[in-house]
């Protein structure tokens, strides 16, 4: 029964009872007798109680819908309000769930276009840095060497410092170009790219161990790129914000896909309110391939590896639809 008919029926029942009392033997004296007051107040209380119960039961689904709307997050798809209650409320909840379906589909499509454009721009900038700026600095380095060979002894030390500064700038540009567009991912595959990434982040203050299983199921190029970018962003967050001195990078088969885990022994997420742009960017990338991303803290040392607290970034990605036709590169082999 709809909410309208429930309330209408209750009000109609109350009016019918009141009319029956007026037409029946029940009378109200003047002045009103105590027994008559009790009868009237009892009937009024019963009517209000039934009305409150009907409204509470009928409006409860709207309260649940309001809480679901407040908690909705397009970066965590799949959560839907439970369809229940009177006809009008059930139709409203169904319409809201359908709207969420459309929003998630449109969000995924727009995010895919934006991130695809971002990857193309990264590739263009990396190529220009490598081809244009890198070659220019290489030419400057050669010119400095020729000048240093012919310069007086008093100037050679300064020219040597200029050479070192130019060489350091060239190395930095090459490093930036590699991070913008991981050439090793295109050339040697996912496993080699992740090993290179772990080595890149292993510095004097941070040690990154990797455990990369072989025999992975076939993965699409988009999935490989998302796995690499999520690992890159997670290690960047570890190096910049966590204060950790140890991190682990793991990739292994899991169910019908693969599981990527980046774990550190840093401060965790407790001290930071909400999620930053890095984590939201990882969630955007996970949505592109239908993967599930979870970010959690281990303040109580729940990692089980002796690292104490820290943060776990876990990505579950599905394998390609047709693994039988996959190339060896999907398993980390040479392309």
């Amino acid at each position: 029964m709809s909410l309208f008919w429930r309330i209408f029926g209750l009000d109609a029942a109350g009016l019918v009872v009141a009319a029956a009392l007026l037409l029946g033997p029940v009378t109200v004296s003047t002045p009103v007798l105590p027994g008559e007051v009790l009868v009237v107040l009892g009937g009024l209380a019963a009517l209000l109680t039934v009305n409150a119960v009907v409204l509470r039961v009928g409006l409860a689904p709207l309260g649940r819908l309001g809480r679901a709307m407040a908690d909705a997050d397009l970066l965590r798809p799949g959560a839907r309000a439970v369809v229940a209650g009177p006809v009008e409320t059930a139709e409203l909840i169904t319409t809201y769930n359908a709207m969420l379906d459309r929003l998630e589909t449109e969000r995924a499509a727009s995010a895919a276009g934006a991130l695809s454009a971002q990857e193309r721009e990264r590739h263009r900038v990396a190529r220009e840095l490598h081809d244009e700026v890198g070659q220019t600095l290489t030419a400057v380095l050669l010119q400095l060497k020729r000048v240093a060979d012919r310069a007086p002894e008093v100037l050679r030390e300064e020219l040597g410092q200029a050479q070192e500064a130019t060489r350091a700038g060239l190395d930095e540009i090459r490093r930036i170009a590699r991070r913008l567009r991981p050439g090793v991912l295109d050339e040697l595959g996912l496993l080699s790219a992740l090993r290179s990434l772990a080595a890149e982040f292993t510095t004097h203050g941070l040690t990154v161990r990797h455990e990369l299983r072989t025999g992975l199921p076939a993965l699409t190029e988009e999935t490989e790129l998302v796995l690499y970018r999520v690992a890159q962003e997670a290690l960047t967050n570890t190096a910049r914000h966590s204060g950790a001195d140890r991190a682990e990078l793991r990739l292994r088969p899991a169910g019908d896909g693969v599981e990527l885990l980046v774990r550190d022994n840093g401060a965790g997420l407790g001290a930071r309110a909400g999620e930053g742009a890095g984590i939201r960017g990882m969630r955007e990338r996970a949505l592109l391939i239908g993967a599930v991303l979870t970010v959690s803290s281990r303040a109580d040392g729940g990692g089980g590896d002796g690292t104490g607290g820290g943060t776990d970034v876990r990505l579950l990605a599905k394998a390609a639809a047709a693994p039988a036709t996959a190339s060896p590169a999907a398993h980390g082999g040479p392309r």
Side-chain angles (χ1 to χ4, degrees), residues 17-101:
V17 171
L21 292 175
L22 289 175
L23 297 175
V26 178
T27 60
V28 178
S29 304
T30 303
V32 180
L33 300 177
E36 297 172 343
V37 172
L38 292 177
V39 171
V40 172
L41 292 180
L44 179 61
L47 185 62
L48 291 177
T49 300
V50 174
N51 198 7
V53 170
V54 170
L55 289 177
R56 174 67 69 180
V57 173
L59 297 179
L62 291 179
R64 292 194 295 268
L65 175 61
R67 291 189 293 272
M69 294 174 69
D71 296 338
D73 187 352
L74 294 182
L75 294 180
R76 295 179 175 87
R80 296 291 182 269
V82 178
V83 179
V87 176
E88 297 92 338
T89 306
E91 290 179 354
L92 177 62
I93 297 175
T94 302
T95 303
Y96 169 73
N97 289 339
M99 181 191 69
L100 274 187
D101 292 337

Side-chain angles (χ1 to χ4, degrees), residues 46-308:
L47 185 62
L48 291 177
T49 300
V50 174
N51 198 7
V53 170
V54 170
L55 289 177
R56 174 67 69 180
V57 173
L59 297 179
L62 291 179
R64 292 194 295 268
L65 175 61
R67 291 189 293 272
M69 294 174 69
D71 296 338
D73 187 352
L74 294 182
L75 294 180
R76 295 179 175 87
R80 296 291 182 269
V82 178
V83 179
V87 176
E88 297 92 338
T89 306
E91 290 179 354
L92 177 62
I93 297 175
T94 302
T95 303
Y96 169 73
N97 289 339
M99 181 191 69
L100 274 187
D101 292 337
R102 292 195 303 270
L103 286 176
E104 288 180 359
T105 301
E106 293 172 1
R107 176 68 178 269
S110 62
L115 290 178
S116 178
Q118 183 185 80
E119 287 296 332
R120 289 196 300 270
E121 185 66 12
R122 282 172 176 260
H123 190 275
R124 184 188 66 81
V125 173
R127 185 175 61 250
E128 291 187 359
L129 283 175
H130 183 272
D131 296 343
E132 303 295 335
V133 182
Q135 290 182 7
T136 300
L137 285 180
T138 301
V140 170
L141 192 61
L142 294 175
Q143 291 176 357
L144 285 174
K145 184 178 184 306
R146 287 196 297 269
V147 172
D149 291 339
R150 299 194 301 268
E153 188 67 29
V154 294
L155 296 178
R156 289 186 179 179
E157 182 177 354
E158 295 183 4
L159 288 172
Q161 294 175 354
Q163 284 180 287
E164 290 302 321
T166 304
R167 187 175 292 108
L170 182 60
D171 292 339
E172 180 67 14
I173 285 176
R174 288 172 177 168
R175 185 186 67 82
I176 293 174
R178 285 197 303 270
R179 296 197 65 187
L180 286 173
R181 182 62 183 179
V184 66
L185 181 61
D186 296 329
E187 297 167 2
L188 299 179
L190 178 61
L191 297 185
S192 296
L194 292 177
R195 291 190 191 98
S196 176
L197 189 65
E200 178 183 342
F201 278 91
T202 297
T203 62
H204 296 293
L206 178 65
T207 301
V208 181
R209 296 187 303 169
H210 59 78
E211 180 184 340
L212 308 175
R213 303 280 184 88
T214 57
L216 298 176
L219 302 173
T220 64
E221 291 184 1
E222 292 79 7
T223 301
E224 289 187 353
L225 184 58
V226 168
L227 288 167
Y228 180 87
R229 290 300 188 197
V230 169
Q232 185 182 51
E233 184 62 39
L235 288 175
T236 299
N237 289 342
T238 295
R240 291 180 179 177
H241 307 299
S242 71
D245 60 3
R246 294 191 303 277
E248 295 183 10
L249 175 61
R250 301 179 185 176
L251 182 67
R252 61 184 181 183
D256 58 349
V258 296
E259 178 190 62
L260 173 74
L261 173 65
V262 180
R263 168 175 290 171
D264 65 55
N265 66 339
L269 300 174
R272 299 196 294 274
E275 295 185 350
I279 295 179
R280 294 188 67 85
M282 288 190 284
R283 294 196 186 282
E284 292 276 6
R285 291 184 181 279
L287 287 179
L288 295 182
I289 58 173
V292 178
L293 178 80
T294 57
V295 181
S296 59
S297 292
R298 305 188 321 278
D300 58 351
D305 53 5
T307 58

